[in-house]
Amino acid sequence: MAVERRDAAAKGRAVKGITGRFVLLIATAAVLPLLIYGAISVSSLQRGTEQSVGGGNQKLAKQVAEQIDLYFANNVRVLASIGTEIRGTRLHDWQKQRILVNHVLDFPEFREISLFDAGGRLRTTSRPQGSTTLTIPDSTEWSGQASEFYVAPPHIDNDALPTTTIAVPLPGGVEEPGWIVAEISLEELWRTVDRIHVGNQGYALLLDQGAALIAHGNPDDKESIAGGGRALPEERAIADQARTASAPAPPRIFRNQRGDELQAVAAPIANPRWTVIVEQTTEDAFAVANRLRGQLLAAIGLALAGTIILGWVWGRSFIQRIFALTRVTRAIAEGRMEERVQLSGRDEIRQLGLAFNSMADRLVELQEEIRKQERQAMFGRIAAGLVHDLSHPIQNIGNSCKLIQKMFEDVEYRETFKRTVERELVIIKRVLDDLRNIARPIPLERFPVDLNRTVADAAEAMEQHAETAGLTLRTEPAAEMLVIEGDVFALGRVYRNLILNAIQATAPGGLIVVATEARGDRAQVRIYDTGCGIPPERLGQIFEDFVTTKRRGLGLGLAISKKIVEQLGGQISVASEVGKGTTFVLDFPRTAARPMLVAG
Amino acid sequence: MVFSRVQSLDWRLAFCAIAAIDLVSVAACRPSSQPSAQALTLRIGVQRTVEAPRVITNILYTDPLFAIDWHGRPALRLASDFTWQDEARTLQVSIRPGVQFHDGTPVTAEAVAEVLRQQERTGGFQFVTTVETPHEGVVLIHLSRPDAFLLDAVSGTPIVRVDQPDIGTGPFKLVSRDPAIRAERNGAYFRGAPGIRQVQVTSYDTPRMAWVAMMRGEVDMVTDVNRESVEFLRGAKRFDTYPFLRPFYIPLVFNVRNRILRNVEVRRALADAVDRDEIVRSAMRGHGQVAEDPLWPLNWAYTPAARHHSFDPGAAAARLDAAGFPISAAGADTMPSRFRIRCLFWNKDPQYERIALMLQRQFAAIGVDLELDPREQRLVEEGITAGDFDTYIYQLASGKSFDYTYRFWHADSNGVGAMQNTGYTGVNDVLDRLRASHADAEVRVAVADLRQRFYEDTPAAFIAWVEATRAVNSRFDVGDSTDPDMLANLWRWSVATPQQRAAR
């Protein structure tokens, strides 16, 4: 389960890695140029729009300024002509007054018109009974010049309307020089300013030289005029800049008191020194550009999303085929040789899959051949071993049977015959038992056993063999008790097998030692000899079935020993050096249980 | 697998958290359904005159027995019914049951009668002899002679507690009068609880100051916006404007005692020489309506006159010639003219000056020299009262019925008090007949005759009716915006919903 999880996690990481690279590759190749192009386009569009809007509004402001110039010029002309008309004729005062009154009535913007002499004394006025409040220019607050006309700073009248006073100098000639002064309502200027609409949220406003608002095209700001409202600092700044700069000032962007972001341009009026400002919310001014930018960003976003999805789909389809190939490879490695990979497409991956399937087919064939050969070799070995192990006892039984026919009357020979047959049958049975055990689990009984004791018993049993072979057999038990879960008889067989092999491999005078040792929670039995050793090329197969270096036997001894050790939860290993000796190590897990006493 | 499950759970949790935060934010940002305390207070700015604060205050905290509507008909208020009896010598009024004063005391017939008994025996109360309450809920007003103007007088009498005159029955309870008039909602008002919690009335020296205060957000309503200032508001979202025709007119009144103006042909000629349309268009900037006589044109009894003065300078000149007023040569400082007459007018209102100048020019065209005499308002009124004028231009009240017409144009004070001192008696008899008329048919005939008399024996060149404009902060909904009586129906106002504001 843990392995499965690790595999799944690794697979997931691989999918993400390759898919991610696919996505990145396609996105980079396809979208990056688009992004760069989009960024340049948006930037150009923004700049172009700013210039276009600013330029357009600047032109508009200039047109309005010119209209206002014209407005004053017209009024001045009218006043000048009135002055000429009145002064150039010998009219009675009442006639002059009536002329002025007629002009006041015929030109609604004139509230009052009065004539003064050069010293400022009233000559004639449209007001009844001479009740004028007008004066000639008497302070620097008036803007203008003597060669043209003067304009007083606007003020708010009782009707909460801005009005101003124009004073036109009348040159001397037939008459003394003088002035014609008129109070005019600036209502017409409002209408001029009100008519200015830029987009949906663009307006014009008019400031005097002191930055007081005279007219405002935005209905929500108009009411501030009644309260003597003044321009915002930014509006004042742009007005000042417009008046002082030789070229039109660039548009200025700022926020008004309501938090709207505005773009403003200004155009100065020559006389009076007022300024026209055209403002438009940036949201309105750049609506088209913003919309285009939004569309462009949306298109880029869609393209990016599309390429990501496409890359992901391609990546996954690519990697899935790789994984299919990997899965089948693993299945074959696990022995499921029937697995084959099915890959769609016509590309190299599919070619790889087809080649893989061919390889797997060939592998199966080769495997079958090898199995056949191995089976044949094994059967050959088994047959040879059986012939070898069984022929002697069978022959002995046969010889004995022949003799019994002749010596049946010999009671002693009948006993010898019985002993011979029984002895040979035991050998035959042992050979058959070994054959049976190698093919299936050996029945073992597991209970706590004292390892030192089992080793000692086995060594005692083999003492005679060793003496006969002229060898020294010694035991070196561990100081502490080593208890393992084991089968006493099976363990005894293993020891006897190993000791017998050591006896058979060691020349007389040699040594065989059987030692036990505690290694933490493990117990080890080490059987080493000073025999001829095992060549390295045979060491790897020494525990395989039917492998033997002896003239006799099926070669099952070590295989069965290994099986017994492994069934008891242990491991067996061998180390050997030709000419020096061999060491077999049995490694078992210890148990805390106490060993049972084993009879006999 | 365990790791991917945890990831999914995290995403779901995150999504739910974000959605929950969004919902809470939206709920928090949603405009509250309850208006703020400030929005529930209506602040009214008025010019500081004798009448304006008093009229508005009475509207706020009192009710009369009935009110004269915009067509001159009596509309029931504290009275549930009224009938004329005894050949119009007795007015029986039934008191609306269940109405209380602001202090909880019931409005009884006796309480009403006490108020009526206290009224001066002038004007519409001139002929009242007794006021009695024969039984609960009924008031009888006895007259020595029939008088249709009693209803006007009664409509102008606020019913308050006699012992505590600041306690009335109106939609708002008077809280204080100084420094500003403050009144709070009367939740038990018999016509319905007002939608506004509090009303505050502030007086300003000039209309402009009230207007500027509105611009600054210090008041929510100005009862009369200067006509030119209306231009400011065009298109503004913060204010709504409600123009309406006021029962006030501007005449050029002739002093009939003047030896020249005594001649009816001269007066008719002068009336024919006035280009009223141009005056309304130019001097009044269109905020007015041509007047043919001083009778309220929206009155139910008003019928189109068969004849009226229209601008005809040629006919005017011919009439003057026929009347024996030829044009004489110019003097040292005077224009050639048939005669010269003086015109008083208030010097502080540019409109009057413009009207005067226009009249001067129009009269000059027919050879009449109109000398303009601008004066302070006090001096104008003194001159009028003293009869020290040839003509004057002023704004006069007509009222929505005819009692003001009677009061002003009847030469005999008749206990009313002379409001004009021109020596004009041309309509006395018709006005007396009108006063005594009760049946609708009688009234219509009297009105028609009155109109005819004003034409034939004109005491003035009636120029124009005045249009005024109220400006109200768009936070408030005034109910029926076409109702010229919207100020009188203040109890119907409420705080405007966003939908109502958007619809405007």
Side-chain angles (χ1 to χ4, degrees), chain B residues 171-233:
Chain B
F172 295 89
K173 303 177 193 175
L174 205 56
V175 173
S176 68
R177 288 182 182 267
D178 192 45
I181 295 166
R182 280 200 309 118
E184 287 184 353
R185 171 168 58 202
N186 173 16
Y189 186 54
F190 69 94
R191 288 204 280 169
I196 293 173
R197 197 181 68 180
Q198 198 179 82
V199 178
Q200 188 175 302
V201 182
T202 308
S203 299
Y204 296 88
D205 289 333
T206 63
R208 183 183 165 229
M209 291 174 74
W211 172 240
V212 171
M214 190 174 190
M215 296 296 107
R216 285 200 295 262
E218 294 167 5
V219 297
D220 302 308
M221 175 186 180
V222 172
T223 55
D224 194 356
V225 179
N226 282 330
R227 53 211 156 270
E228 285 84 1
S229 300
V230 174
E231 294 292 326
F232 268 119
L233 301 178

Side-chain angles (χ1 to χ4, degrees), chain A residues 149-227:
Chain A
F149 61 96
Y150 289 88
V151 178
H155 64 276
I156 305 297
D157 67 8
N158 286 334
D159 289 330
L161 295 176
T163 58
T164 191
T165 307
I166 300 180
V168 182
L170 300 173
V174 175
E175 302 246 359
E176 294 292 319
W179 294 88
I180 182 163
V181 181
E183 181 177 286
I184 63 171
S185 159
L186 298 176
E187 199 174 328
E188 183 57 32
L189 292 188
W190 292 352
R191 297 217 172 84
T192 302
V193 167
D194 282 352
R195 277 195 291 268
I196 306 302
H197 290 285
V198 184
N200 293 325
Q201 299 173 22
Y203 305 100
L205 53 146
L206 187 60
L207 314 181
D208 72 358
Q209 60 267 38
L213 278 172
I214 303 170
H216 206 304
N218 188 345
D220 292 328
D221 289 316
K222 197 181 286 190
E223 60 207 46
S224 63
I225 298 175

Side-chain angles (χ1 to χ4, degrees), chain B residues 181-485:
Chain B
I181 295 166
R182 280 200 309 118
E184 287 184 353
R185 171 168 58 202
N186 173 16
Y189 186 54
F190 69 94
R191 288 204 280 169
I196 293 173
R197 197 181 68 180
Q198 198 179 82
V199 178
Q200 188 175 302
V201 182
T202 308
S203 299
Y204 296 88
D205 289 333
T206 63
R208 183 183 165 229
M209 291 174 74
W211 172 240
V212 171
M214 190 174 190
M215 296 296 107
R216 285 200 295 262
E218 294 167 5
V219 297
D220 302 308
M221 175 186 180
V222 172
T223 55
D224 194 356
V225 179
N226 282 330
R227 53 211 156 270
E228 285 84 1
S229 300
V230 174
E231 294 292 326
F232 268 119
L233 301 178
R234 197 167 286 159
K237 298 187 187 68
R238 212 153 65 91
F239 305 104
D240 296 314
T241 55
Y242 303 96
F244 66 103
L245 203 64
R246 301 184 70 199
F248 286 82
Y249 59 95
I250 299 176
L252 176 71
V253 179
F254 305 129
N255 190 344
V256 179
R257 295 194 183 92
N258 179 285
R259 63 174 183 81
I260 297 171
L261 296 173
R262 175 184 304 154
N263 188 325
V264 65
E265 291 301 311
V266 170
R267 286 184 270 128
R268 289 176 71 172
L270 292 177
D272 284 340
V274 175
D275 187 350
R276 293 163 180 77
D277 289 317
E278 192 199 349
I279 290 175
V280 168
R281 187 174 52 247
S282 177
M284 301 177 72
R285 305 170 65 83
H287 296 289
Q289 179 176 308
V290 166
E292 296 171 356
D293 48 53
L295 301 176
W296 178 235
L298 299 183
N299 188 281
W300 63 272
Y302 191 93
T303 53
R307 298 162 72 183
H308 60 273
H309 292 284
S310 55
F311 177 54
D312 192 349
R319 201 185 285 274
L320 289 173
D321 287 333
F325 294 96
I327 297 178
S328 49
D333 206 26
T334 57
M335 58 173 269
S337 64
R338 302 173 194 272
F339 51 83
R340 193 177 201 202
I341 50 177
R342 199 160 47 89
C343 178
L344 293 184
F345 63 91
W346 181 27
N347 62 355
K348 285 291 187 277
D349 190 334
Q351 176 178 262
Y352 285 134
E353 181 174 316
R354 203 156 182 100
I355 292 175
L357 289 174
M358 293 184 79
L359 288 174
Q360 186 184 60
R361 184 163 72 172
Q362 289 165 8
F363 285 177
I366 61 167
V368 174
D369 187 3
L370 187 68
E371 180 191 349
L372 302 183
D373 185 4
R375 293 188 186 177
E376 298 285 334
Q377 185 175 16
R378 177 182 57 84
L379 295 175
V380 170
E381 290 173 355
E382 283 177 6
I384 293 171
T385 308
D388 180 21
F389 61 92
D390 295 334
T391 65
Y392 67 83
I393 301 170
Y394 210 52
Q395 183 171 282
L396 303 177
S398 71
K400 289 167 277 186
S401 59
F402 303 111
D403 64 331
Y404 271 89
T405 308
Y406 183 98
R407 280 202 251 175
F408 194 84
W409 293 107
H410 200 290
D412 186 349
S413 64
N414 242 341
V416 173
M419 294 182 74
Q420 54 94 1
N421 193 5
T422 66
Y424 179 69
T425 61
V427 292
N428 283 2
D429 57 329
V430 185
L431 284 174
D432 285 333
R433 183 152 53 92
L434 180 60
R435 186 169 184 176
S437 301
H438 287 279
D440 282 4
E442 276 183 325
V443 172
R444 282 203 181 94
V445 169
V447 167
D449 288 344
L450 189 59
R451 297 197 66 201
Q452 187 62 26
R453 191 68 63 85
F454 275 123
Y455 167 74
E456 291 167 351
D457 186 6
T458 186
F462 300 101
I463 299 174
W465 295 94
V466 177
E467 183 186 274
T469 302
R470 302 202 203 282
V472 182
N473 191 307
S474 59
R475 289 190 292 125
F476 295 94
D477 178 69
V478 302
D480 183 1
S481 61
T482 61
D483 178 12
D485 248 339

Side-chain angles (χ1 to χ4, degrees), chain A residues 87 115-121 123 136-137 170 176-179:
Chain A
R87 296 168 74 233
L115 271 176
F116 297 86
D117 65 14
R121 279 187 297 273
R123 289 292 184 220
I136 63 173
L170 300 173
E176 294 292 319
W179 294 88

